[in-house]
Amino acid sequence: MFESLPGFRDFYPDQCAVRNHLFRIWRQTANSFGFSEYDAPILEPLDLFREKSGPEVVSQLFAFTDKGGREVALRPEMTPSLARLAGARAGSLKRPIKWFHIGEHYRYEKPQRGRLRAFYQFNADILSEPSPAADAELMALCIKSLTALGLGMEDFRLRLSDRNIWYYFLAANGISEDQTAGALEIIDKRERVDRQVTLEKLARIAGESAENLLGAIESLSGVRDFERMQQILSGSTDCDDDALEKISRRLEDWRTLLGHLEDMRLMEYVEIDLSIVRGLAYYTGFVFEAFERKGKLRSLAGGGRYDRLVQKLGYEDLSATGFAMGDVTLCDLLSRKNLLPGVVSVPDIHVILGGSKERAIALSDILSLRELGLRVEYPLKETGFAKQFKQAGQSGARFALIYGSEELVADSVKIRDMGSGGELLLLRKELKTAIIDLLETGISGKSQ
Amino acid sequence: MFESLPGFRDFYPDQCAVRNHLFRIWRQTANSFGFSEYDAPILEPLDLFREKSGPEVVSQLFAFTDKGGREVALRPEMTPSLARLAGARAGSLKRPIKWFHIGEHYRYEKPQRGRLRAFYQFNADILSEPSPAADAELMALCIKSLTALGLGMEDFRLRLSDRNIWYYFLAANGISEDQTAGALEIIDKRERVDRQVTLEKLARIAGESAENLLGAIESLSGVRDFERMQQILSGSTDCDDDALEKISRRLEDWRTLLGHLEDMRLMEYVEIDLSIVRGLAYYTGFVFEAFERKGKLRSLAGGGRYDRLVQKLGYEDLSATGFAMGDVTLCDLLSRKNLLPGVVSVPDIHVILGGSKERAIALSDILSLRELGLRVEYPLKETGFAKQFKQAGQSGARFALIYGSEELVADSVKIRDMGSGGELLLLRKELKTAIIDLLETGISGKSQ
């Protein structure tokens, strides 16, 4: 007896159907938005992840040395592989590059609710288009992927923030460029620690003005609408012209982005929330997270602009924006909302066979009907009529197709609508055409 | 700059589309046959594979020790995981269990043409139904999965053999049960080595009668039709009644199997070929391989009955038959036959925007059309009309949807059939309904 590894999942048919439903909706939505699917190996050179993600992520990898002495790792995320593929063919790919990916990722974490060692992600990215129009297109895909699954305004919000605004704001408040990353990390962790702790950390960067700086940070973090954002940012009086100029241009980008989201009728899903700075160091512009609106307010998806990463990995300078949406929290939410498909693998037709002669006749019909794409089941072993009718009923099949000795003589077959109980006698040669019609109309309850 | 690992593949969108085409056809065909999809982790405890496959396969595994000290391996094949899943819930699963799987597998082999370290397989299995009807159903799925991809009789054959017949035949020729596995291995390798070598190997088992035994083996291996098979097997005069009785009952199973394949109109794809014994020790009954008929006659799929494996892994005794079909050789054949889909990700509609006012209007229409499942593209950056028309042409889009200043005034939009050049002016509020019709009918070449 064996068990699967901790943090890994078995997908029995009913669970596999749920997963495939999710994949189908993600794929359909991404295709409708003009994104093209790609894939890359689940196993990559360890250096690819080391370069991008830093030692902390590397410590959580499924990494090992292969038989050829190579340091390799199961991918923890998709972005490094995406950058590798797009970077390697940057010269010949049609621009903008709009790609998506659906696949599994691996992290060696302590398994717990919502944190598995193997999980699926839907990744979508737009490369080589730096304008806010690309950010809007990507956020629209993120929102529409959730609504296509049946979620609505009452279930989630896309919280929108901006790493650039934070850069400029910190600069305007006297934080030098090489201290910005440290300051953003403090801001990211601010809500989870004591105010005094944050203040002490900031003092190491800003010295005596830490108290003032924290006040300013708190006020920008509290921003929930664009008007207030403009007020606060134009109120930074004691800063240099360069920073003010950058802020002013950035507010123009915001107007463009919000305008597009407005025109797309999506602003009802969007909340401005500048408290979101997102942990990863490589984000460079607009960042966003989709959150549950009820319960634990967990994150459903997250993303943003990362204009410098592709170049950092050694390729051409390609601007980029992308998001990742995981399957675990999302399926949990969909399940609580009863938005996951129920019964699976219901046959269209369950065939009932009188005996071996009838089986011999039926087999070619069965294969013809399957060629139409219909799901057709029949008993592999000889079974009595009564038991077969019971099986047909339990299977949930739409129709039973009955091959008995009487039908055999007339080269015909009886078809029963399992819902209405209505029956029809069909000539076998008319079966294929008749079935297609009957699937639309059904057979009325009075047998003919 | 990074490269993917040797023997692993990147899937750029055009390659990913080919792969997805294959997956789609496999999935559709398996569904139509009433098989249900399942999945299991790509990483499993090493012991799961050690138990089933023996040291040779284990030496070719991507195996490593994880951070928790567990010996683990990337799956080289699906059958052990299938046995684990089905075995663990044998009591509650609906019988017969008809399951399929599409996924990746990993072997640490020297990469070469047709032999990669990561490859996809379509696996299908029927558990808990020992009758030849199950073997026939499975072979039918194997054949129909290939024909659904466009392959025909001229491209492949399913070669059919039987490990049981070999067991009984060897017993009838005086080979004891514990020597059978060794003898079958010699038979499997026979065509690749010198006759004298085979003879010497057999002498270790059969002593002085090795020459007679090899003659008998050669004659059974040469069997290509059922009539000859019956002749040879009933001609084994000097054997005990028990062996003769078993052979006689087994020939009855053959009649049942061939009868089903005949009734399914599939015998034109099937060749009896008793030279096929299949290497793996766990096969117990009918075995088969699908081969190319031209060129290198490579194997496209292989499978057979393995009635004892599930029990061997520590679970309930479940009879089983299954096959695996790989993607590498198959795609190579499909590509040479021009049976792979060509251009991919062609938009249904390419939107052309006069300027920012038109964009503001168009965005909500674009999202509505995407909700219909249509693939709709539009330029993310402001671009002149001429360039946009050129892009629309290059994209291969079926229709261009044109938002100009004139159309804006009338709250309308112009639609152009990119094939015929025909154009229509539509009111925006009628757009969604109109598009659905136009996708069927097109627009005639004379503009209206």
Side-chain angles (χ1 to χ4, degrees):
Chain A
M1 307 278 257
F2 296 91
E3 286 192 2
S4 55
L5 295 167
F8 286 77
R9 288 172 290 178
D10 290 329
F11 290 87
Y12 282 86
D14 48 353
Q15 295 146 341
C16 197
V18 165
R19 185 197 71 176
N20 288 359
H21 166 75
L22 197 64
F23 288 3
R24 191 164 43 241
I25 299 289
W26 281 345
R27 188 168 276 127
Q28 267 175 15
T29 312
N31 274 322
S32 76
F33 272 70
F35 285 67
S36 298
E37 190 169 356
Y38 71 99
D39 200 0
I42 59 149
L43 200 69
E44 292 269 20
L46 179 60
D47 278 342
L48 181 66
F49 305 117
R50 204 181 258 146
E51 190 66 34
K52 181 201 152 193
S53 309
E56 197 199 337
V57 169
V58 169
S59 75
Q60 291 182 348
L61 290 183
F62 271 96
F64 62 100
T65 305
D66 78 7
K67 288 174 180 166
R70 294 172 202 86
E71 285 192 295
V72 297
L74 291 171
R75 64 181 178 211
E77 55 158 328
M78 205 60 207
T79 313
S81 302
L82 165 73
R84 180 172 68 68
L85 263 71
R89 296 204 185 162
S92 61
L93 292 167
K94 199 189 125 221
R95 310 269 183 109
I97 299 161
K98 290 168 70 181
W99 281 3
F100 77 98
H101 179 262
I102 296 170
E104 208 171 23
H105 302 271
Y106 308 89
R107 283 184 198 157
Y108 197 86
E109 295 188 297
K110 194 172 155 54
Q112 50 184 298
R113 192 179 164 80
R115 306 288 276 181
L116 295 170
R117 288 185 176 170
F119 50 93
Y120 292 99
Q121 271 186 359
F122 166 38
N123 275 262
D125 296 85
I126 302 178
L127 278 69
S128 163
E129 180 50 59
S131 76
D135 299 275
E137 172 84 339
L138 195 78
M139 289 174 205
L141 174 57
C142 184
I143 291 168
K144 286 295 181 179
S145 300
L146 294 170
T147 59
L149 287 161
L151 297 172
M153 280 174 56
E154 66 286 6
D155 301 308
F156 75 94
R157 282 289 187 280
L158 199 81
R159 297 210 188 120
L160 176 60
S161 184
D162 184 0
R163 298 269 289 199
N164 279 356
I165 281 291
W166 276 106
Y167 292 138
Y168 305 151
F169 177 78
L170 289 169
N173 281 277
I175 303 297
S176 68
E177 212 176 315
D178 57 331
Q179 290 174 322
T180 313
L184 282 172
E185 216 185 301
I186 297 169
I187 294 165
D188 186 37
K189 302 219 164 104
R190 196 177 56 87
E191 289 186 355
R192 295 186 291 272
V193 300
D194 209 71
R195 190 174 192 275
Q196 193 56 33
V197 175
T198 304
L199 200 55
E200 281 161 22
K201 285 192 203 162
L202 281 178
R204 270 170 249 152
I205 292 173
E208 284 178 11
S209 54
E211 180 66 53
N212 280 346
L213 180 61
L214 182 52
I217 287 170
E218 284 167 342
S219 117
L220 191 62
S221 287
V223 161
R224 296 293 178 274
D225 63 77
F226 188 55
E227 201 133 317
R228 176 82 185 127
M229 185 172 151
Q230 293 177 89
Q231 274 172 15
I232 291 181
L233 291 169
S234 57
S236 313
T237 45
D238 59 337
C239 60
D240 59 49
D241 289 351
D242 182 50
L244 271 182
E245 168 66 24
K246 278 181 175 163
I247 287 176
S248 155
R249 260 186 286 137
R250 190 57 182 163
L251 289 175
E252 199 49 47
D253 287 342
W254 270 84
R255 270 173 220 113
T256 308
L257 177 71
L258 296 175
H260 284 352
L261 292 170
E262 189 73 58
D263 294 334
M264 289 169 161
R265 313 274 190 272
L266 295 178
M267 273 309 287
E268 58 188 13
Y269 295 98
V270 176
E271 283 173 3
I272 295 172
D273 183 346
L274 291 189
S275 74
I276 289 170
V277 292
R278 290 189 63 76
L280 291 169
Y282 62 85
Y283 283 110
T284 55
F286 291 115
V287 290
F288 58 95
E289 290 189 46
F291 282 94
E292 288 181 292
R293 281 199 69 202
K294 290 171 198 155
K296 294 185 186 156
L297 314 177
R298 294 171 303 179
S299 174
L300 300 169
R305 190 162 272 287
Y306 54 100
D307 281 344
R308 295 193 207 109
L309 184 69
V310 180
Q311 192 179 32
K312 192 182 162 202
L313 289 173
Y315 300 99
E316 184 182 329
D317 188 9
L318 281 180
S319 66
T321 178
F323 72 81
M325 183 179 292
D327 74 314
V328 182
T329 307
L330 182 55
C331 275
D332 190 49
L333 172 60
L334 293 171
S335 160
R336 275 185 290 121
K337 296 270 303 176
N338 264 322
L339 290 171
L340 291 175
V343 185
V344 295
S345 47
V346 170
D348 297 300
I349 296 166
H350 193 104
V351 176
I352 290 173
L353 303 170
S356 58
K357 271 189 198 155
E358 288 81 1
R359 178 184 299 266
I361 296 294
L363 281 173
S364 68
D365 292 348
I366 288 168
L367 262 71
S368 296
L369 293 173
R370 285 171 170 175
E371 271 179 8
L372 296 175
L374 300 176
R375 188 172 173 105
V376 185
E377 287 271 30
Y378 66 97
L380 291 176
K381 66 174 115 210
E382 305 284 325
T383 313
F385 258 127
K387 191 167 175 199
Q388 288 187 62
F389 272 108
K390 199 176 153 198
Q391 286 171 341
Q394 287 169 341
S395 76
R398 176 91 190 276
F399 293 109
L401 204 58
I402 304 152
Y403 290 80
S405 52
E406 278 177 50
E407 288 82 15
L408 202 65
V409 173
D411 206 23
S412 62
V413 57
K414 196 186 279 173
I415 183 163
R416 176 186 293 183
D417 187 320
M418 297 299 282
S420 69
E423 291 185 350
L424 272 179
L425 197 66
L426 298 171
L427 285 175
R428 280 183 55 232
K429 61 181 178 191
E430 293 165 0
L431 182 59
K432 270 175 91 163
T433 16
I435 285 271
I436 295 172
D437 291 340
L438 291 176
L439 278 167
E440 291 225 348
T441 61
I443 305 170
S444 68
K446 264 203 178 149
S447 69
Q448 305 181 13
Chain B
M1 305 278 254
F2 295 91
E3 287 191 2
S4 55
L5 295 166
F8 285 78
R9 288 173 289 178
D10 290 329
F11 290 87
Y12 282 87
D14 48 352
Q15 295 146 340
C16 197
V18 165
R19 184 197 72 176
N20 288 359
H21 166 73
L22 196 65
F23 288 2
R24 191 163 43 241
I25 299 288
W26 281 344
R27 188 168 276 128
Q28 266 175 15
T29 312
N31 274 322
S32 77
F33 272 70
F35 285 68
S36 297
E37 190 169 357
Y38 71 99
D39 200 1
I42 59 149
L43 200 69
E44 292 268 20
L46 179 59
D47 278 341
L48 182 66
F49 305 117
R50 204 181 260 146
E51 190 66 33
K52 181 202 151 191
S53 310
E56 197 199 336
V57 169
V58 169
S59 75
Q60 290 182 350
L61 290 183
F62 270 97
F64 62 100
T65 304
D66 79 6
K67 288 174 181 167
R70 295 172 201 87
E71 285 191 295
V72 297
L74 291 171
R75 63 182 177 210
E77 54 158 330
M78 207 57 207
T79 314
S81 303
L82 164 73
R84 181 172 66 69
L85 263 71
R89 296 204 185 162
S92 61
L93 291 167
K94 199 190 124 221
R95 312 265 182 114
I97 298 161
K98 290 168 69 180
W99 281 4
F100 77 98
H101 180 263
I102 295 169
E104 208 171 22
H105 302 272
Y106 309 89
R107 283 184 199 158
Y108 197 87
E109 296 188 296
K110 195 173 153 56
Q112 50 184 299
R113 192 178 164 81
R115 305 286 278 181
L116 295 170
R117 288 186 176 169
F119 51 91
Y120 293 100
Q121 271 186 1
F122 166 37
N123 275 261
D125 296 84
I126 302 179
L127 277 70
S128 161
E129 179 49 61
S131 76
D135 299 273
E137 172 84 341
L138 195 78
M139 290 174 205
L141 174 57
C142 184
I143 292 168
K144 286 296 181 178
S145 299
L146 294 170
T147 59
L149 287 161
L151 296 172
M153 281 173 55
E154 65 286 7
D155 301 308
F156 76 94
R157 282 289 187 281
L158 198 81
R159 297 207 190 122
L160 176 59
S161 183
D162 184 1
R163 298 269 289 198
N164 279 355
I165 281 291
W166 275 106
Y167 291 137
Y168 305 151
F169 177 79
L170 289 170
N173 281 276
I175 303 298
S176 68
E177 212 177 313
D178 56 332
Q179 290 175 322
T180 313
L184 281 172
E185 217 184 303
I186 297 169
I187 295 166
D188 187 37
K189 302 221 164 98
R190 197 177 56 87
E191 290 186 355
R192 295 187 290 274
V193 300
D194 210 69
R195 190 175 193 276
Q196 194 55 34
V197 174
T198 304
L199 200 55
E200 281 161 23
K201 284 192 204 163
L202 281 177
R204 270 170 249 153
I205 292 173
E208 285 178 10
S209 55
E211 179 66 52
N212 280 347
L213 179 61
L214 182 53
I217 287 170
E218 283 168 343
S219 113
L220 191 62
S221 287
V223 161
R224 296 293 178 272
D225 63 75
F226 188 54
E227 201 133 318
R228 177 83 185 123
M229 184 171 149
Q230 294 178 87
Q231 273 173 14
I232 291 181
L233 291 170
S234 56
S236 314
T237 46
D238 60 336
C239 60
D240 59 50
D241 289 350
D242 182 51
L244 271 182
E245 168 65 25
K246 278 182 175 163
I247 286 177
S248 156
R249 260 186 286 135
R250 190 58 181 163
L251 289 174
E252 199 48 47
D253 287 343
W254 269 84
R255 270 173 220 114
T256 307
L257 176 72
L258 296 176
H260 284 353
L261 292 170
E262 189 72 58
D263 294 335
M264 289 169 161
R265 314 273 189 272
L266 295 179
M267 274 309 287
E268 58 188 14
Y269 295 98
V270 176
E271 283 173 4
I272 294 172
D273 183 347
L274 290 190
S275 74
I276 289 170
V277 292
R278 290 189 62 77
L280 292 170
Y282 63 84
Y283 283 111
T284 56
F286 291 116
V287 290
F288 58 94
E289 290 189 47
F291 282 94
E292 288 182 293
R293 281 198 69 203
K294 290 171 198 156
K296 295 184 187 156
L297 314 178
R298 293 171 303 180
S299 174
L300 299 168
R305 192 163 270 286
Y306 53 99
D307 281 344
R308 294 190 209 111
L309 183 71
V310 180
Q311 192 179 32
K312 192 182 163 203
L313 289 173
Y315 300 100
E316 184 182 329
D317 187 11
L318 281 179
S319 67
T321 178
F323 72 79
M325 183 180 291
D327 73 314
V328 182
T329 307
L330 182 55
C331 275
D332 190 50
L333 172 60
L334 293 171
S335 160
R336 275 185 289 119
K337 296 270 303 177
N338 264 323
L339 289 171
L340 291 175
V343 185
V344 296
S345 49
V346 170
D348 296 300
I349 296 165
H350 193 104
V351 176
I352 291 173
L353 303 170
S356 58
K357 270 186 199 157
E358 287 80 2
R359 176 183 301 265
I361 295 294
L363 281 174
S364 68
D365 291 348
I366 289 168
L367 261 71
S368 297
L369 294 172
R370 285 171 169 175
E371 272 179 8
L372 296 176
L374 300 176
R375 187 172 173 106
V376 185
E377 287 272 29
Y378 66 97
L380 292 176
K381 65 175 114 206
E382 304 284 324
T383 313
F385 259 127
K387 191 166 175 200
Q388 288 186 64
F389 273 107
K390 199 176 154 198
Q391 286 171 340
Q394 288 169 339
S395 74
R398 176 92 191 276
F399 293 108
L401 202 59
I402 304 150
Y403 289 81
S405 52
E406 277 177 53
E407 288 82 16
L408 203 64
V409 174
D411 206 22
S412 61
V413 57
K414 196 187 277 174
I415 183 164
R416 176 186 292 183
D417 187 320
M418 297 300 282
S420 69
E423 292 185 350
L424 271 179
L425 198 66
L426 297 171
L427 284 175
R428 279 183 57 230
K429 60 182 177 187
E430 293 165 359
L431 181 58
K432 271 174 91 163
T433 15
I435 285 271
I436 294 171
D437 292 340
L438 292 176
L439 279 167
E440 292 223 349
T441 61
I443 304 171
S444 69
K446 265 206 177 149
S447 67
Q448 304 179 14

